[in-house]
Structure formats: C-alpha cells, structure tokens
Amino acid sequence: MRKALILFSSFAVLMAFGQEKRFVSVKKAMKLMGTAFEITVVAPSEEIGYINIDEAVSEITRIEEMISSWNIDSETSQINKNAGVNPVKVSQELFSLIERANKISEITDGAFDITYASMDKLWRFDGSMQRPPTDQQIRESVSKVGYKRIVMDVEAQTVFLPEVGMKIGFGAIGKGYAADRAKEFLISKGVKGGLINASGDLTTWGTKATGEKWMIGIANPLSKDKVFSWLPVIESSVATSGNYEKYVVFKGQKYSHIIDPRTGYPTKGINSVTIFAKYAELCDAMATAVFVMGKDSGIHMINQIDGVEVVVIDSENKIHKSSGILFNNNQ
C-alpha cells in the first residue's frame, strides 16, 4: 500500500509539472514621450502579452499628458503659463512628483533642479554653435533657476512660480517616473515579469520567461558595442546618462549637453553615469545629478544613500564605482 501511495504521489507530481503554464517573453519598441521606449513582458501567450504592453503604453501616455511642457493643456504647462501671475491647483500625483523632485534637489545641493527649464537655451548641440556664449550671457541664463523659489501650498494643493519666465520641466526625471508607473500598473494586473526601457532608464521585475535574471551591460562610451561588465538587475532599476552623442568642442575642450543648473555651464570630466536603485525615477534624477556634481562628489554622495549605487566612466574612459558595486575595474 505504501509503495502504491509513493507511485501515486510521483504520478501526481508529474501531472502537475506537465500542466505547469509555459510563459513567453513579448517585446515591443515604440516612441513615447519623444524618445525610444521598449517594453518586454512575460505572459502566458503573445496575445495577452501585447494586451499588457498596450495597457502600459496607455499609462505612459497619461503621464506624458500630465508632465509634458509641449502639451499646452498639461498641468505642467499651466504652472509655467501662470508663472508670476497665479498659483495653479494640480493633481495630487503631480504635486507629489514635484515634492520628490525638490527633495532630490536638496540632497544634491541643486545639481538636480526641475526649474532648469527656466534657462535660456544658449548652448546648442546640433552643430550650429560657432563659439561659446559669454560669461555674462551664461550668468543671465540661470537668473530664474532655483528650486527653492517654487511655492507649494499643501492644503490648497497649488504650485506657484513667483517670477515671470520661470519654468519647470521633467526631462531629467519624467521618463523614469513613467517607467515606474507602467511597471506598477503591470504588476497590479498580475504580470509576473518584465522590463521597461525608457531610452536608458530601465526598470525590471520578476525574471525572464526562461527564469534567468535580467542583465544590463555597462557600455564603453568610446565603443558602444563593447561592454565593461554585465550586472544583474533584480526587482530594481537602472538609468544611464552619457555625453557621447550630444556635445560640442571649443579649443580642444569637450562640453557635455548636460548643463549645471546652478552655473549655466556644461559639465566636464565625465563620459557616462549609471545609477542603480529601486525606482527608475530616482535613478533618472541621480544620473543627472552625479554628472553635474562630478566624479568624486557624486560618488561620495551616492555612498551615503542606502540602496543606491553608481558606476562612473570619466573623460579618460576609466571606471569608478560606489562601494556596493562588485566588479573589477580592470575588466
């Protein structure tokens, strides 16, 4: 009887294994928020996977309609339009996003600042610049920048920019936030695993359909087809900022398209910054902040923040990393 029970139990286990659902990875690339997005989901079938992706796209589009500076009807555009005139009542979602952005500005001593949008666009990285702007022009360009000037009324849920010409923009945090929200939405729908890549702002959950971990490569800015090291991204996010595509050179000096909002001058000394953290929103903002702060100050700051790590590749193509990153610099 005991032997029969063992055989029956083994048969039941085999039956259960045979009935286990097989999942597939479904991927789709598209343009959203003015940039390249790629969404991968692990689903029971291709049909369900594409439905999940379409739902994620709807969520990202909703966020874009809220934070876009190009959409004249967005809440962000209304705040900018009423600068120096009236406070604007906004949704709790946008109010909270601005609060978190300002907190990052405090942590980074203004290296990250959503009022960077107030800067006059003196620097152009499309090949049309013949000479750098003057020091006076640069000083004037940042005269209306400063996150501490944003007036927020918690009870009324309003945002006010007190000076005409002030603007806010979410170019250095918006894609990461959208990726996070799309991820949360898909998880709420029961999607067991996936990856959202918002033009370098990447977030993952679960595993691949094969059960393998999601992996990202730290690329060589001087040869993008080569990888310094592969690192697993487990229930986490990554964002990379680089100056290898948008920059100008004057008198042999390379100037990045990433501008210090405190000074109006382009950053120097770094080729790329890759941030690892739980949320893509934080990765997105911190990648910009470290670029602005510089290698030493940026890594020192990241080492003080739990759950956040950084890999910096300097202008001489040397790798530097925070204390929690475990790979050999000589790879």
Side-chain angles (χ1 to χ4, degrees), residues 8-152:
F8 178 78
S9 297
S10 300
F11 178 72
V13 169
L14 286 170
M15 285 289 289
F17 181 80
Q19 292 172 359
E20 184 180 340
K21 286 185 178 179
R22 296 183 66 84
F23 286 83
V24 296
S25 289
V26 181
K27 182 192 298 185
K28 187 175 181 180
M30 66 219 79
K31 189 172 183 179
L32 298 166
M33 302 181 77
T35 192
F37 267 71
E38 187 175 88
I39 301 175
T40 303
V41 298
V42 176
S45 69
E46 284 194 4
E47 181 182 7
I48 293 174
Y50 283 119
I51 291 172
N52 292 150
I53 290 173
D54 288 343
E55 290 175 328
V57 169
S58 295
E59 177 67 357
I60 293 167
T61 301
R62 181 190 68 79
I63 292 163
E64 181 180 16
E65 290 173 351
M66 177 182 69
I67 67 175
S68 173
S69 300
W70 303 105
N71 181 351
I72 60 173
D73 296 321
S74 74
E75 293 183 64
T76 301
S77 290
Q78 291 305 307
I79 293 170
N80 293 341
K81 180 181 177 181
N82 284 278
V85 181
N86 292 304
V88 175
K89 185 173 177 59
V90 300
S91 64
Q92 182 59 55
E93 182 177 11
L94 184 63
F95 194 89
S96 297
L97 177 60
I98 295 172
E99 283 187 317
R100 294 195 302 276
N102 285 346
K103 186 65 177 177
I104 294 171
S105 295
E106 291 177 13
I107 293 170
T108 62
D109 194 27
F112 171 84
D113 191 332
I114 59 173
T115 66
Y116 79 92
S118 308
M119 285 192 290
D120 294 331
K121 302 301 186 287
L122 295 177
W123 297 91
R124 298 184 303 279
F125 300 90
D126 57 3
S128 64
M129 287 188 71
Q130 300 300 312
R131 63 185 65 85
T134 66
D135 290 343
Q136 179 63 26
Q137 287 174 319
I138 292 172
R139 282 193 296 270
E140 291 175 356
S141 76
V142 298
S143 63
K144 295 176 182 177
V145 175
Y147 72 95
K148 292 181 180 179
R149 301 187 195 183
I150 303 174
V151 179
M152 303 185 70

Side-chain angles (χ1 to χ4, degrees), residues 57 92 94 134 154 203 207 244-245 261 292 301 318 328:
V57 169
Q92 182 59 55
L94 184 63
T134 66
V154 176
T203 190
T207 64
Y244 32 82
E245 291 181 342
V292 170
M301 174 193 68
K318 294 179 180 177
N328 192 331

Side-chain angles (χ1 to χ4, degrees), residues 32-39 53 55-68 93 97 100 170-187 195-199 201-205 237 279-285:
L32 298 166
M33 302 181 77
T35 192
F37 267 71
E38 187 175 88
I39 301 175
I53 290 173
E55 290 175 328
V57 169
S58 295
E59 177 67 357
I60 293 167
T61 301
R62 181 190 68 79
I63 292 163
E64 181 180 16
E65 290 173 351
M66 177 182 69
I67 67 175
S68 173
E93 182 177 11
L97 177 60
R100 294 195 302 276
F170 296 94
I173 195 172
K175 296 196 308 298
Y177 175 64
D180 283 336
R181 289 306 302 262
K183 170 183 171 178
E184 290 170 14
F185 178 83
L186 290 173
I187 290 173
L195 181 151
I196 299 173
N197 185 353
S199 191
D201 298 340
L202 181 150
T203 190
T204 74
W205 72 102
S237 304
Y279 297 106
E281 172 189 312
L282 181 60
C283 291
D284 198 358

